[in-house]
Amino acid sequence: MIPRPAAAISGKSTRPAPAGFDRRLIAPMVLGSVLNPINSSMIAVALVPIGIAFGAPPAETVWLVTALYLATAVGQPVIGRLVDMYGPRRLYLVGTGLVGVAGLLGALAPTLGVLIAARVLLGFGTSAAYPAAMRLTRSEAERTGQDSPAGVLTALAVSAQTVAVVGPTLGGVLIGAGGWHMVFTVNVPLSAACLVLGVKWLPRSGAPERGQRMDLPGMALFAVLLVTLMLFLMGPRPDRWYLPALTLATAAVFAARELRVPDPFVDLRVLAGNVPLVVTYVRQLLAYTTSYAFLYGYTQWLEQGRGLSASAAGLVLLPLSAAALVTATVTGRREAVRGKLLVGSVLQIAGCSALLLVDAGSPVWALLAAGALLGVPQGLLGLAAQTALYRQADPERIGSAAGLLRTFMYLGALGASAATAAFFPHRADTGGLHGLALFMLAGSALLLAITLPDRSLARLTPTPRKA
């Protein structure tokens, strides 16, 4: 039987609990978890009309994207830690409620600055649902004694990927129906639906253990560390040397504090002793650096280097999305973490190598095939990292651990953005694409190198047990 710690069973609920996984939880978990990817993707088609409305150049409207990344990267682990301490229900309701407030603020924003503030609120609000979902999944395993969450984890991964794919299309439809304001307004009914489902189905949690305190200084130092690092990654230049210096100094102070306090925000001693989990974070960084580098770089090259229109470039990327969705759906119920990581990293290497053969004269079928080939590892690697984290993380800190996994994903996105800017200094030409492909190839090879000898991955999946 799976052990049931006191903290896991202290919550009270007025609803009868089913013997197996409570499937009533899936709707609020999935709906809350897609709030972040839908807001990340819809904004792509809204940047131009927002810039026209406020008379702002792209260098200013890009902060609508950056603000969400920054807030989410900081907010996911911080709110995840609060989920661990106070239970998923409270943080889920507060976070999804904040999404509705941010939606209203954005829809009524009189200036671009207010609009950017609304995106920051959206980032923090959408940071609660994923750590809450992971915590609920763990709690259900402890409650039922049935440790078989593959279907639930697959639902979370596939729904996020699906929404990320349809987000730009949905954003275009909303803008056509009511202007760019609708991209923000849509968060109001989504927030309301989350609140109704959350209040109705999410179980209540007991009070945190006596003596347990929030490490507010640790959270603040972590936020400074991440923000300075991400600001540098967004625009790495010699004249911004002070940002990495400040990052290193803050990291040293943060580490010294977290090793000294009794209830640290990030338990570095436990994390240092959990090498497999640290490696999972590194794999997440490497996988998503390659994934986002392809998404950013290949799309730009299709328009500038290959000469396709924006709509045609979007169609060329459809096989990428379709392959990722089909792969995650088909393989989701088999955990097979090591197999997914190995196959995914090998296919990433193959896809990056194929990009070296692409040029301005390549036929359309070759462009489609390159996207489809790199879509398969997207479906495998993200799901494998999520499952590995579920198995490797301390059950009492699963919320903050899940938040950190998302943080490393966003660090990969920012690293990919910096690499794309470096290889396309003036325009996205074929030479730059090949240089970016070599960068992606190096990261994929490193991913394979740290996965191949890791035999511990084969022992992650336990036999389902029943109480």
Side-chain angles (χ1 to χ4, degrees):
M1 179 186 294
I2 298 174
R4 304 182 188 183
I9 61 176
S10 60
K12 302 294 183 182
S13 176
T14 57
R15 62 188 173 87
F21 187 96
D22 190 349
R23 296 194 174 275
R24 293 173 296 186
L25 299 175
I26 295 178
M29 287 167 59
V30 169
L31 184 58
S33 296
V34 302
L35 291 175
N36 188 271
I38 198 170
N39 278 287
S40 298
S41 56
M42 282 194 305
I43 197 68
V45 293
L47 293 177
V48 171
I50 288 173
I52 294 172
F54 290 107
E60 294 180 11
T61 57
V62 73
W63 277 99
L64 294 168
V65 177
T66 303
L68 188 76
Y69 276 154
L70 283 171
T72 305
V74 173
Q76 289 268 357
V78 170
I79 297 177
R81 180 60 184 140
L82 297 178
V83 167
D84 291 331
M85 293 178 64
Y86 296 99
R89 178 187 170 96
R90 295 171 181 147
L91 274 299
Y92 179 95
L93 295 177
V94 171
T96 54
L98 188 60
V99 169
V101 174
L104 282 175
L105 179 63
L108 302 174
T111 66
L112 182 62
V114 174
L115 203 60
I116 292 172
R119 291 285 290 179
V120 172
L121 288 180
L122 273 174
F124 285 119
T126 58
S127 292
Y130 180 69
M134 293 295 282
R135 182 73 186 185
L136 283 166
T137 303
R138 171 62 69 180
S139 297
E140 280 297 282
E142 293 168 348
R143 180 184 66 80
T144 63
Q146 298 175 351
D147 194 19
S148 184
V152 179
L153 297 179
T154 300
L156 292 174
V158 171
S159 60
Q161 289 181 344
T162 302
V163 166
V165 171
V166 304
T169 302
L170 175 61
V173 171
L174 291 172
I175 291 170
W180 64 263
H181 301 83
M182 294 297 295
V183 171
F184 289 84
T185 306
V186 72
N187 286 290
V188 177
L190 290 175
S191 170
C194 287
L195 289 173
V196 170
L197 292 171
V199 168
K200 187 173 183 180
W201 298 125
L202 297 187
R204 298 181 183 276
S205 302
E209 294 181 9
R210 186 172 298 176
Q212 197 173 28
R213 299 178 180 178
M214 284 195 299
D215 180 16
L216 294 178
M219 292 178 178
L221 286 168
F222 180 80
V224 173
L225 187 160
L226 266 189
V227 169
T228 53
L229 174 61
M230 295 178 78
L231 286 175
F232 179 73
L233 289 176
M234 286 186 295
R237 301 192 307 268
D239 63 336
R240 306 181 78 182
W241 60 268
Y242 58 91
L243 287 174
L246 185 55
T247 299
L248 291 175
T250 306
V253 176
F254 174 74
R257 175 183 169 77
E258 298 303 277
L259 291 171
R260 189 177 68 251
V261 297
D263 291 312
F265 165 53
V266 177
D267 196 331
L268 296 180
R269 292 188 185 89
V270 173
L271 193 61
N274 193 345
V275 176
L277 179 59
V278 174
V279 176
T280 291
Y281 289 140
V282 174
R283 290 194 186 99
Q284 179 87 336
L285 175 67
L286 292 172
Y288 276 93
T289 299
T290 296
S291 176
Y292 278 106
F294 177 76
L295 183 63
Y296 296 152
Y298 193 57
T299 304
Q300 291 182 54
W301 176 81
L302 286 173
E303 295 184 41
Q304 295 184 338
R306 184 61 171 76
L308 300 181
S309 65
S311 58
L315 291 174
V316 169
L317 289 177
L318 282 178
L320 170 77
S321 305
L325 289 174
V326 170
T327 300
T329 303
V330 171
T331 65
R333 290 193 171 274
R334 288 179 55 86
E335 295 197 1
V337 173
R338 186 169 186 266
K340 289 177 181 177
L341 289 171
L342 288 175
V343 173
S345 55
V346 168
L347 289 178
Q348 265 200 350
I349 290 173
C352 296
S353 300
L355 288 182
L356 296 173
L357 305 176
V358 169
D359 57 34
S362 296
V364 172
W365 67 263
L367 307 180
L368 295 169
L373 181 57
L374 278 164
V376 176
Q378 279 194 25
L380 292 172
L381 296 174
L383 190 55
Q386 181 177 257
T387 304
L389 175 127
Y390 179 84
R391 299 297 181 192
Q392 294 165 338
D394 177 2
E396 293 303 303
R397 286 179 172 261
I398 188 69
S400 54
L404 275 174
L405 188 71
R406 285 289 179 94
T407 295
F408 276 88
M409 180 182 78
Y410 288 116
L411 287 174
L414 288 173
S417 180
T420 303
F423 286 105
F424 297 152
H426 305 294
R427 65 185 306 273
D429 57 20
T430 299
L433 177 67
H434 290 168
L436 186 63
L438 289 174
F439 169 79
M440 295 161 57
L441 186 61
S444 300
L446 182 56
L447 176 61
L448 179 62
I450 64 176
T451 301
L452 195 59
D454 191 351
R455 300 292 177 181
S456 69
L457 293 170
R459 300 190 294 271
L460 281 181
T461 309
T463 303
R465 294 167 287 184
K466 294 186 177 181

